Amino acid sequence: RNTAVLFGDGGGAMVLENTPDEGQLLAWDLGLDGSARDILKTEVGGTIEMDGREVFKRAVRAMVDSAARTLERAKVRPEEIKLIVPHQANIRIIQAACDRLGIERERAAIVVHRTGKTSSASIPLALVDAIENGRLAEGDLVLLTGFGAGMTWGSALLRWQKGPSDAADSA
């Protein structure tokens, strides 16, 4: 009852392809802290158990630290980011992460109010929404960042380039 109302249903995927040059994936960061396993978990056949306050604190910290490492590796400043596409767990986590990163909230792709929390589908769903709404142009810097149970996290910085099957091409 405490978590069911947060969840939506959705699916999404992204295709990255190898290129002979440096490509458009400028930097990334992945990590985990298995000691946080008990703050957000589910056993096989069980229900989701979550310590909401602790998940909030760790999620914000994980996303911010991961995104900051990614930006540092790419030698990119937060103000250069055209769009941040965060994991869509809840609006407060997204706002806190943007504020701590120094990225204006208006530059965040947000769909959680329409989709609910769709777990790993949330970043692709928010990215497609941004594409369909004309929020990205060729060459824009896009920061993807998220977290998950366990506590796991990841961020990636992309230089936007439309592909032949880009959703925006068919819109």
Side-chain angles (χ1 to χ4, degrees):
R1 172 168 162 69
N2 291 336
T3 57
V5 295
L6 302 175
F7 291 92
D9 186 18
M14 291 179 62
V15 177
L16 301 177
E17 68 180 279
N18 191 17
T19 62
D21 58 4
E22 289 185 8
Q24 306 304 316
L25 176 58
L26 306 179
W28 67 91
D29 177 73
L30 299 171
L32 65 98
D33 176 3
S35 71
R37 175 183 181 271
D38 289 332
I39 68 167
L40 178 57
K41 69 178 183 178
T42 185
E43 302 298 333
V44 174
T47 59
I48 293 175
E49 298 174 36
M50 178 172 67
D51 176 348
R53 289 180 197 258
E54 191 62 23
V55 169
F56 177 86
K57 289 190 295 190
R58 288 185 186 232
V60 171
R61 187 176 334 124
M63 287 174 56
V64 169
D65 291 350
S66 179
R69 282 190 295 272
T70 300
L71 294 175
E72 184 178 316
R73 288 177 182 150
K75 297 177 177 47
V76 169
R77 297 180 320 275
E79 58 270 16
E80 295 177 83
I81 300 300
K82 169 69 177 190
L83 187 71
I84 181 170
V85 186
H87 177 70
Q88 307 282 306
N90 74 45
I91 193 67
R92 289 179 40 243
I93 291 173
I94 294 169
Q95 291 170 339
C98 286
D99 293 347
R100 291 180 188 163
L101 283 166
I103 297 175
E104 298 166 8
R105 292 179 180 185
E106 296 76 30
R107 290 192 274 152
I110 300 173
V111 296
V112 68
H113 59 289
R114 290 194 324 266
T115 65
K117 183 186 179 316
T118 55
S119 296
S120 61
S122 71
I123 290 175
L125 290 172
L127 181 60
V128 166
D129 183 76
I131 293 165
E132 289 175 346
N133 286 294
R135 295 186 67 187
L136 287 173
E138 197 83 16
D140 285 347
L141 294 178
V142 182
L143 177 62
L144 313 175
T145 186
F147 69 94
M151 173 70 59
T152 58
W153 58 82
S155 295
L157 181 64
L158 308 171
R159 183 171 310 280
W160 188 251
Q161 179 179 348
K162 288 201 256 183
S165 62
D166 191 294
D169 290 339
S170 61

